[in-house]
């Protein structure tokens, strides 16, 4: 599935079938209610990704200052966090990220700008 994005080619059916089969093993009969998202990034980023609902992610960040530092997070509140950023032109600043209660997010460090 390419998400309707122009210029993106569909993933091969065999690959999708394997991913969907694993998804069903993980979530069983609830597979239809758990969305499956694909993404692709041509670069390499070996840093961890933290996935969870807003409340769990903010609690985890508050309890793990080392993870906050690794993500350049300078402030954590109930439904938002603020991170120190550097853009592709090396301009530094802070950016607030707002999250909806109960929504699932993936927090990661983006490398390479753009």
């Amino acid at each position: 599935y390419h998400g309707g994005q122009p210029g993106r080619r569909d993933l091969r059916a065999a690959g999708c079938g394997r991913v969907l089969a694993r998804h069903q093993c993980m979530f069983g009969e609830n597979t239809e209610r758990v969305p499956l998202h694909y993404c692709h990034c041509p670069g390499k980023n070996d840093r961890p990704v933290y996935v969870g609902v807003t409340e769990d992610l903010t609690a985890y960040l508050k309890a793990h200052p080392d993870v906050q530092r690794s993500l350049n997070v300078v402030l954590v509140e109930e439904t938002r966090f603020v991170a120190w950023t550097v853009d592709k032109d090396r301009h530094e600043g802070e950016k607030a990220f707002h999250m909806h209660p109960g929504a699932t997010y993936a927090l990661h460090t983006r490398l390479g700008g753009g």
Side-chain angles (χ1 to χ4, degrees), residues 2 18-19 25 34 46 52 56 74 83 90 93 104 113:
H2 61 81
R18 287 191 299 270
V19 171
C25 287
V34 179
D46 58 358
D56 292 341
V74 296
R90 299 190 183 262
T104 302

Side-chain angles (χ1 to χ4, degrees), residues 1-109:
Y1 176 69
H2 61 81
Q5 299 175 10
R8 304 278 185 197
R9 61 188 171 101
D10 290 336
L11 297 175
R12 294 172 59 187
C16 288
R18 287 191 299 270
V19 171
L20 291 172
R22 174 55 59 198
H23 195 245
Q24 188 167 17
C25 287
M26 290 169 38
F27 299 104
E29 295 178 17
N30 293 323
T31 301
E32 294 297 320
R33 295 187 301 176
V34 179
L36 181 60
H37 302 280
Y38 294 94
C39 63
H40 171 74
C41 179
K44 180 178 169 141
N45 184 344
D46 58 358
R47 296 189 182 183
V49 176
Y50 301 90
V51 179
V53 295
T54 298
E55 297 78 6
D56 292 341
L57 286 171
T58 55
Y60 186 81
L61 289 174
K62 287 178 181 179
H64 295 88
D66 56 319
V67 174
Q68 286 186 49
R69 283 189 298 277
S70 75
L71 293 170
N72 296 318
V73 171
V74 296
L75 174 69
V76 180
E77 296 177 335
E78 294 303 313
T79 58
R80 80 177 190 123
F81 65 93
V82 178
W84 184 254
T85 61
V86 180
D87 69 15
K88 64 182 178 181
D89 297 320
R90 299 190 183 262
H91 297 117
E92 298 180 3
E94 292 182 354
K95 182 175 180 180
F97 294 88
H98 299 271
M99 302 181 288
H100 296 285
T104 302
Y105 292 92
L107 305 183
H108 63 94
T109 303

